[in-house]
Amino acid sequence: KAGVTQTPRYLIKTRGQQVTLSCSPISGHRSVSWYQQTPGQGLQFLFEYFSETQRNKGNFPGRFSGRQFSNSRSEMNVSTLELGDSALYLCASSPLGGGYGYTFGSGTRLTVV
Amino acid sequence: AQTVTQSQPEMSVQEAETVTLSCTYDTSESDYYLFWYKQPPSRQMILVIRQEAYKQQNATENRFSVNFQKAAKSFSLKISDSQLGDAAMYFCASVTNTGTASKLTFGTGTRLQVTL
């Protein structure tokens, strides 16, 4: 059974650019969540998508957005990148969310220079 | 709102010994779940153990077990017979089971070192 796949693994972008990260969940999982991990702020929730609808959102500016496709694959986009956006972005998939538990991908390491 | 607190930034244990990682949480919900995740240098978060709040019995997974004290809102992880491969960051997390929206709330993590 394939796990959660995140692409790319590493990314270097310049301030002001935009970036799109991709996440393919485990087959059959309908919930996809995104988290930002930094040394200073730890793990912070970005948003959750369920059946193509965003059903929960964290406290991040509007520059952070996402979407989910009919096959449950998800993308997150960050526009007008800032140095502080440098982080490990983790995607997690779950059958239905909540207590069903979450399986994480290996993350995308984004560096903004 | 939920909060999760891990008060031990770093812990060290000798191989084959037992170590306990502490976690406290706060939530106003009655239906919630607690998790311990392990994050090795490979970065991938790996689920170690899961506990349903409505179950009084402590969860166990091989060498990993929890001490769940609901009244005290405490959820510690015990690792028995520690192995070198157990060295990693360990995160305690909680999630409410609202059925319509959910998010994991993580603690700040405990870095576990395993020595020979």
Side-chain angles (χ1 to χ4, degrees):
Chain A
K1 191 175 183 181
V4 179
T5 303
Q6 290 188 249
T7 56
R9 290 278 323 247
Y10 300 91
L11 209 47
I12 300 175
K13 289 287 188 178
T14 304
R15 260 185 312 176
Q17 287 186 315
Q18 75 166 19
V19 67
T20 299
L21 311 182
S22 180
C23 172
S24 293
I26 290 173
S27 178
H29 285 195
R30 296 167 63 186
S31 167
V32 175
S33 303
W34 289 87
Y35 293 82
Q36 182 196 64
Q37 186 176 22
T38 60
Q41 299 297 318
L43 283 148
Q44 293 186 288
F45 171 78
L46 281 155
F47 29 65
E48 181 204 15
Y49 285 87
F50 185 85
S51 294
E52 301 180 65
T53 301
Q54 185 184 87
R55 69 176 185 179
N56 204 357
K57 189 178 190 303
N59 189 26
F60 278 82
R63 300 185 297 106
F64 291 82
S65 63
R67 59 179 175 169
Q68 186 180 32
F69 302 96
S70 58
N71 61 358
S72 290
R73 189 178 71 86
S74 177
E75 289 180 347
M76 69 163 280
N77 184 78
V78 188
S79 62
T80 319
L81 284 165
E82 301 176 0
L83 296 179
D85 296 333
S86 295
L88 178 66
Y89 290 89
L90 292 164
C91 167
S93 81
S94 174
L96 296 172
Y100 285 85
Y102 299 81
T103 302
F104 282 81
S106 296
T108 294
R109 171 79 66 190
L110 172 63
T111 303
V112 182
V113 298
Chain B
Q2 299 178 78
T3 60
V4 177
T5 303
Q6 293 179 251
S7 58
Q8 306 155 315
E10 289 191 17
M11 293 282 286
S12 183
V13 63
Q14 281 193 319
E15 200 177 18
E17 296 296 308
T18 296
V19 65
T20 298
L21 309 183
S22 301
C23 172
T24 58
Y25 64 94
D26 194 13
T27 179
S28 56
E29 302 289 337
S30 58
D31 187 10
Y32 59 91
Y33 292 76
L34 299 166
F35 305 89
W36 278 98
Y37 279 92
K38 167 186 176 181
Q39 188 179 38
S42 66
R43 309 178 330 198
Q44 184 169 12
M45 301 280 278
I46 301 165
L47 178 63
V48 174
I49 203 161
R50 169 180 174 270
Q51 173 80 45
E52 298 95 328
Y54 62 86
K55 284 189 178 178
Q56 292 188 342
Q57 186 175 4
N58 291 323
T60 300
E61 287 288 341
N62 301 313
R63 298 182 294 108
F64 299 87
S65 61
V66 297
N67 183 4
F68 175 46
Q69 301 290 325
K70 191 170 183 177
K73 294 184 177 176
S74 170
F75 183 60
S76 60
L77 175 70
K78 185 171 84 170
I79 306 174
S80 304
D81 185 26
S82 296
Q83 300 175 358
L84 294 177
D86 295 334
M89 282 290 289
Y90 285 82
F91 292 94
C92 178
S94 70
V95 68
T96 58
N97 198 36
T98 63
T100 57
S102 59
K103 67 172 187 177
L104 284 166
T105 300
F106 287 93
T108 51
T110 297
R111 183 174 301 281
L112 178 66
Q113 292 183 319
V114 181
T115 59
L116 294 171

